[in-house]
Amino acid sequence: MKKRLYHLIIALVLLVVSSCDQNFDEWNTNRVDATNINPAYQLNQAIINSSASSFGTMVYELGIVQQLISPNSGVLTGANYNQDNRASTQNNWQVYYREVVKNTKDIIRRIQDDPTRQDLYHMTRILQANAFMVLTDTYGWVPYSQAGLGFSEQQIFFPEYDSPEFIYGEIIRELTEASTALGAAGSNVESGEILYGGNVDQWRRFANSLLLRAGMRLSRVDPSRASQVVQTAFAGGVILNNEDNALVRHDNNFLNPIGNTLNATEAANVYMAEPFVNYLKENNDPRLQAIAVRYVGATSGTEHTVDRQNFAPEVQIGMPMGLDNVTAVERAESLGLASFYDFTQIDRRRITKLNAPNFIVTASQTNLLLAEAVIRGWIAGDAASYYSEGIRLHMEQIGTYDEDSVIPEEEIAAYLAANPLDDSAALELINTQYWVSSLLNGPEAFANFRRSGFPALDPNPYPGREVEFINRLTYPNSEISVNEENVRQAISQQGPDNLETRVWWHTP
């Protein structure tokens, strides 16, 4: 009896094992998760993260160019004190490498030989060139050739660094080739991408506008090469109207990063800087009323309420540079303010609301760069016209943030009539307007300030500052800890890893 029972058990076990083995592949096949991602969706992920709008840019770039500032220390330590805070200097690094370059490199690897996706391939090259321009402009030497290859068959987890000179040569080549190759016969219409909905003409203008930027970056270090690149970009067609602006749109699913910060944890901690407010105020610039708010009499963040808000230009008071928690209170008292909460802020209910757009490249910026190119004799045209058009377009662009920020046409016309281009101070006027036009685009405002030397800002007077002016951001500790050998090789070529070392094109 026991023997028969034993044999029965063995038979049942063999039956179950056989049954499991027969259905093993079916049972262990995931029929839900995607096995192949549409590269257009990957490009969209990269586009969303290309807006150069983040907590880190608010702490550093926007403070360096003296547009937004905080008197507070801790996580906000940065350009307010001209001190190194690698928790924030790492921001661009991590966003662009993890969310942009990782995706663009993978897209290029997958579709570069696919004749039906050639337009998407070239669009990806263009967006990737923008990412590397931001990275090398911000840090100097960075991984380029081997960047983003940790997820490929090559599995390069510790990428070597390339020189900015090499990277800029590659950026210029990529943008030139990609803009020319767009519109290839047989390629799909990439209507699923969110920047331009597959419009290759707009992508071409975007590429050439980035190429124009790259050329202008070389204006001091290599004027001859700069002239050639600018001429190529101009001949290819650049962004000249706001309908072609390259921007990241936000909604309830994808919030504006700076807007999210300024409407949450740092709502009462960040203010418009005195130099920026005073420039607009002293020149009767109608943009001040469209972007700024002062909560008159506020003694705390909880008193930043709608009933206290005042948009009138004459009441706006920017926060002076170089203050901390103690001296900000003292300065506010000396100015007759209720507290430092009484200084002017950028209006988070209009310009930095949660679904506000972020602009990558704009017609305003491009027109202003063309005005400078004319002044330098690199292209033909009327510098004064490009200059006034650049200002007008930015004033009109501001109205796209919120209907309450629309600037009336008569105010735009009056400002332009009162502020024509003066040839004797053309470069300063053009690049100071570029500073205004690049509000909230921290990396671009920071780059052009270093490149042009304008606006003529005074150094941050904070007593404990590490440097007079911040010239670059430092490498992240997260990168140093895992890729130390290559980081140190880059430092040996570039100079000390601090805020004072200049990037390649930033000459004294």
Side-chain angles (χ1 to χ4, degrees), residues 89-106:
T89 61
Q90 70 180 355
N91 193 260
N92 278 339
W93 185 282
Q94 293 182 344
V95 170
Y96 279 95
Y97 276 119
R98 293 177 181 177
E99 305 298 337
V100 182
V101 174
K102 181 179 74 174
N103 282 297
T104 56
K105 283 290 185 85
D106 187 54

Side-chain angles (χ1 to χ4, degrees), residues 199-216:
N199 187 313
V200 295
D201 291 331
Q202 288 181 306
W203 270 97
R204 184 176 294 110
R205 286 189 281 274
F206 175 41
N208 286 321
S209 298
L210 288 171
L211 188 62
L212 174 64
R213 273 188 185 177
M216 296 303 291

Side-chain angles (χ1 to χ4, degrees), residues 343-470:
F343 282 109
T344 293
Q345 292 186 304
I346 193 162
D347 191 355
R348 61 181 179 273
R349 294 182 174 90
R350 293 182 296 165
I351 303 304
T352 55
K353 60 186 180 183
L354 292 174
N355 63 351
N358 281 126
F359 293 87
I360 305 172
V361 179
T362 69
S364 171
Q365 293 168 324
T366 301
N367 274 273
L368 291 168
L369 290 180
L370 292 177
E372 180 175 343
V374 172
I375 292 295
R376 292 182 178 275
W378 294 346
I379 62 171
D382 184 355
S385 295
Y386 283 125
Y387 175 73
S388 61
E389 187 67 4
I391 298 170
R392 169 184 290 279
L393 287 166
H394 185 242
M395 291 184 176
E396 293 174 351
Q397 175 190 322
I398 286 175
T400 65
Y401 285 98
D402 190 275
E403 61 182 9
D404 289 335
S405 290
V406 173
I407 301 173
E409 169 57 31
E410 59 271 20
E411 293 185 18
I412 297 176
Y415 181 85
L416 295 177
N419 295 275
L421 182 63
D422 179 354
D423 289 344
S424 65
L427 293 181
E428 179 174 8
L429 290 171
I430 290 168
N431 286 289
T432 301
Q433 286 293 339
Y434 197 93
W435 172 58
V436 178
S437 176
S438 299
L439 175 65
L440 296 176
N441 187 336
E444 182 58 21
F446 179 38
N448 198 67
F449 168 60
R450 289 173 291 162
R451 193 272 306 181
S452 69
F454 298 112
L457 300 175
D458 293 327
N460 185 339
Y462 184 72
R465 68 188 183 188
E466 295 177 12
V467 293
E468 189 171 76
F469 274 108
I470 295 174

Side-chain angles (χ1 to χ4, degrees), residues 167-395:
I167 295 171
Y168 255 84
E170 291 295 288
I171 288 171
I172 290 168
R173 180 184 61 80
E174 287 284 290
L175 291 172
T176 303
E177 291 180 1
S179 64
T180 302
L182 280 168
S187 185
N188 295 342
V189 176
E190 301 292 345
S191 58
E193 61 84 12
I194 60 174
L195 191 61
Y196 290 119
N199 187 313
V200 295
D201 291 331
Q202 288 181 306
W203 270 97
R204 184 176 294 110
R205 286 189 281 274
F206 175 41
N208 286 321
S209 298
L210 288 171
L211 188 62
L212 174 64
R213 273 188 185 177
M216 296 303 291
R217 290 282 199 274
L218 310 184
S219 60
R220 288 188 178 184
V221 71
D222 192 347
S224 177
R225 177 69 167 142
S227 174
Q228 295 171 5
V229 174
V230 167
Q231 289 169 22
T232 299
F234 182 59
V238 295
I239 295 173
L240 293 174
N241 60 74
N242 283 333
E243 288 71 26
D244 290 334
N245 285 344
L247 71 152
V248 177
R249 299 166 180 85
H250 296 102
D251 57 23
N252 292 334
N253 295 313
F254 298 99
L255 302 178
N256 180 302
I258 287 182
N260 192 28
T261 300
L262 293 182
N263 281 280
T265 57
E266 309 305 330
N269 296 325
V270 179
Y271 296 83
M272 295 191 72
E274 182 180 58
F276 194 72
V277 170
N278 283 356
Y279 176 79
L280 298 179
K281 193 173 179 180
E282 291 164 4
N283 288 279
N284 297 315
D285 194 317
R287 284 173 284 194
L288 183 58
Q289 183 161 333
I291 64 175
V293 62
R294 182 176 157 217
Y295 298 96
V296 178
T299 59
S300 67
T302 59
E303 293 187 358
H304 285 168
T305 54
V306 172
D307 61 302
R308 288 184 180 274
Q309 65 186 14
N310 193 318
F311 309 119
E314 60 272 15
V315 306
Q316 304 307 322
I317 303 174
M319 179 169 283
M321 297 294 298
L323 303 181
D324 57 24
N325 283 335
V326 175
T327 55
V329 173
E330 295 170 350
R331 186 66 61 88
E333 183 178 352
S334 72
L335 293 172
L337 304 182
S339 70
F340 75 68
Y341 297 100
D342 202 355
F343 282 109
T344 293
Q345 292 186 304
I346 193 162
D347 191 355
R348 61 181 179 273
R349 294 182 174 90
R350 293 182 296 165
I351 303 304
T352 55
K353 60 186 180 183
L354 292 174
N355 63 351
N358 281 126
F359 293 87
I360 305 172
V361 179
T362 69
S364 171
Q365 293 168 324
T366 301
N367 274 273
L368 291 168
L369 290 180
L370 292 177
E372 180 175 343
V374 172
I375 292 295
R376 292 182 178 275
W378 294 346
I379 62 171
D382 184 355
S385 295
Y386 283 125
Y387 175 73
S388 61
E389 187 67 4
I391 298 170
R392 169 184 290 279
L393 287 166
H394 185 242
M395 291 184 176

